[in-house]
Amino acid sequence: MRTSNTQGRLARTISRTALAVTAVTAVALTAACGGTGTGSGGKTITVYSADGVGSWYTTQFDEFEKKTGISVNLVEAGSGEVVNRVDKEQSNPQADVLVTLPPFIQKAKSSGLLQDSGIDTSFVAAGDKDADGKYVTLAGNYLSFIANPSVDTTNLTWDDLLKPEFKGKLQYSTPGQAGDGTAVLILLQNLLGKQGALDYLAKLQANNVGPSSSTGKLQAKVDKGELVVANGDVQMNLTTVKDKGSKFNIFFPAAADGKRSTVAVPYVMGLAKGAAHQREAKQLMEFLLSADAQKSLPDTFAVPARKELRDAPATGSGPSASAALKGVEVVNVDWTKVLSDLDADVAAYNKATGQ
């Protein structure tokens, strides 16, 4: 899917661990035998997805199976890794639906790994879907940072992260490998320019523990105090706080002028080229974009893709994505342009940081 020196994030275990681990093997076996793959009520389809919304998937996939008799095997991994898998399996496609973050969904399209699903997406804003029908936003999300409670994040700036006290206690997922890590590079490019971003990250390398292909794994390290600062995303971080009782704080580093900013890193969905169960996959895509399914996204700290539900409140109590983003500017990003420069930008990043 990408340059030979870039790999996706490692798979992260979720509540559907057994299915996630066995999904590729199970589908491969049925494909080799010429079968369709059957669940308790009929066919089984496979979803390759960037990690982060596993709990929402669990509920929605169970409801989908009740309504249709179609079961869903979920394979969760890093945003780059899931696309890489689809690319490697082109001669014997295993995935029916692909969900990943930008710019990896754009990479999947440019690599010919997606096909037009033909489903109705009229209720999704034009900027949140592909004009050629190859992909559509499933859920909105945003880059964030997390800090151990021992760190005062009230006025923490990008320059503060360069201070010696953070040496060996700071880590961020690697640009070009992880979607959230790539978003760090893109945000800094918008704030400082391309060369300015490289200069900053070269200085930050003195404090950085080292490469990480998984953003999600950094959360536990910050919670335990092994790290004091790491990158993340709003949806995943708030979910971890709610579900696992993590104590880390979510923040957005400020620029020299005090302004805080972020970039959107939505979960984006497409129909995999060569999908063995296209009709059923389209049914699932339509189901996940339905008003009923989308209404539940705020409860998992994600933003609905449907225009009429973008400001829908969560039904539960506790922190919300909108509250976390209060006072934070969302920088507009042309992800197609990002993709066109990605290989060169990652190569420049690797050279600047010595990774």
Side-chain angles (χ1 to χ4, degrees):
M1 160 269 186
R2 312 165 54 202
T3 56
S4 59
N5 66 339
T6 55
Q7 300 177 355
R9 289 185 289 178
L10 298 175
R12 181 168 63 85
T13 304
I14 59 163
S15 58
R16 295 174 69 93
T17 300
L19 286 178
V21 172
T22 60
V24 174
T25 303
V27 176
L29 288 173
T30 55
C33 297
T36 59
T38 57
S40 58
K43 291 185 177 179
T44 297
I45 58 179
T46 298
V47 174
Y48 282 9
S49 178
D51 50 357
V53 287
S55 60
W56 183 72
Y57 280 145
T58 298
T59 301
Q60 299 309 316
F61 291 167
D62 286 347
E63 186 64 25
F64 178 71
E65 183 173 5
K66 289 178 184 177
K67 290 187 175 182
T68 66
I70 302 167
S71 59
V72 182
N73 278 336
L74 173 64
V75 178
E76 275 197 321
S79 51
E81 174 61 17
V82 288
V83 177
N84 193 37
R85 290 188 186 189
V86 174
D87 189 20
K88 290 179 178 178
E89 295 167 356
Q90 286 191 72
S91 62
N92 184 24
Q94 306 298 316
D96 296 298
V97 176
L98 174 66
V99 182
T100 191
L101 310 183
F104 303 111
I105 193 69
Q106 287 83 4
K107 181 66 174 179
K109 177 190 174 183
S110 68
S111 300
L113 304 179
L114 301 175
Q115 59 181 311
D116 185 354
S117 67
I119 65 173
D120 179 18
T121 61
S122 59
F123 41 79
V124 177
D128 292 331
K129 59 187 176 184
D130 176 43
D132 298 325
K134 298 294 178 64
Y135 56 78
V136 59
T137 294
L138 175 63
N141 194 17
Y142 303 89
L143 171 70
S144 61
F145 282 77
I146 56 175
N148 184 270
S150 63
V151 177
D152 182 5
T153 60
T154 306
N155 298 303
L156 200 63
T157 67
W158 288 102
D159 286 342
D160 287 334
L161 299 181
L162 299 175
K163 292 179 178 179
E165 55 258 42
F166 289 104
K167 184 175 179 61
K169 290 293 185 178
L170 178 151
Q171 193 171 20
Y172 63 95
S173 53
T174 307
Q177 296 185 21
D180 295 324
T182 302
V184 171
L185 176 61
I186 300 308
L187 177 58
L188 287 169
Q189 287 179 345
N190 276 271
L191 296 176
L192 306 173
K194 286 199 173 187
Q195 188 57 50
L198 292 176
D199 293 342
Y200 175 83
L201 290 169
K203 294 176 183 177
L204 188 65
Q205 195 63 18
N207 290 342
N208 187 19
V209 170
S212 173
S213 59
S214 171
T215 309
K217 288 186 176 181
L218 303 181
Q219 296 182 115
K221 293 181 179 181
V222 173
D223 214 27
K224 295 175 183 176
E226 295 175 24
L227 299 171
V228 295
V229 171
N231 71 316
D233 63 66
V234 172
Q235 186 276 328
M236 176 175 65
N237 295 154
L238 287 176
T239 297
T240 302
V241 169
K242 177 185 177 183
D243 293 349
K244 297 185 178 181
S246 292
K247 303 300 182 183
F248 54 68
N249 297 314
I250 299 171
F251 75 103
F252 302 85
D257 60 4
K259 292 182 179 179
R260 297 176 297 145
S261 55
T262 186
V263 294
V265 283
Y267 296 91
V268 190
M269 174 174 63
L271 178 64
K273 184 178 180 181
H277 313 105
Q278 291 189 33
R279 183 175 68 84
E280 293 80 8
K282 291 178 183 180
Q283 284 181 264
L284 177 63
M285 293 173 71
E286 290 171 337
F287 177 84
L288 294 177
L289 288 172
S290 68
D292 284 344
Q294 290 275 305
K295 284 177 182 176
S296 63
L297 278 170
D299 292 329
T300 60
F301 310 108
V303 180
R306 295 181 70 101
K307 290 181 286 186
E308 79 274 19
L309 296 175
R310 290 304 296 264
D311 298 321
T315 57
S317 59
S320 66
S322 58
L325 289 166
K326 187 176 181 180
V328 180
E329 177 188 3
V330 179
V331 176
N332 290 323
V333 175
D334 182 347
W335 288 107
T336 301
K337 180 64 167 61
V338 168
L339 175 62
S340 67
D341 296 343
L342 184 61
D343 287 347
D345 286 348
V346 169
Y349 165 81
N350 290 334
K351 182 178 180 180
T353 59
Q355 301 238 52

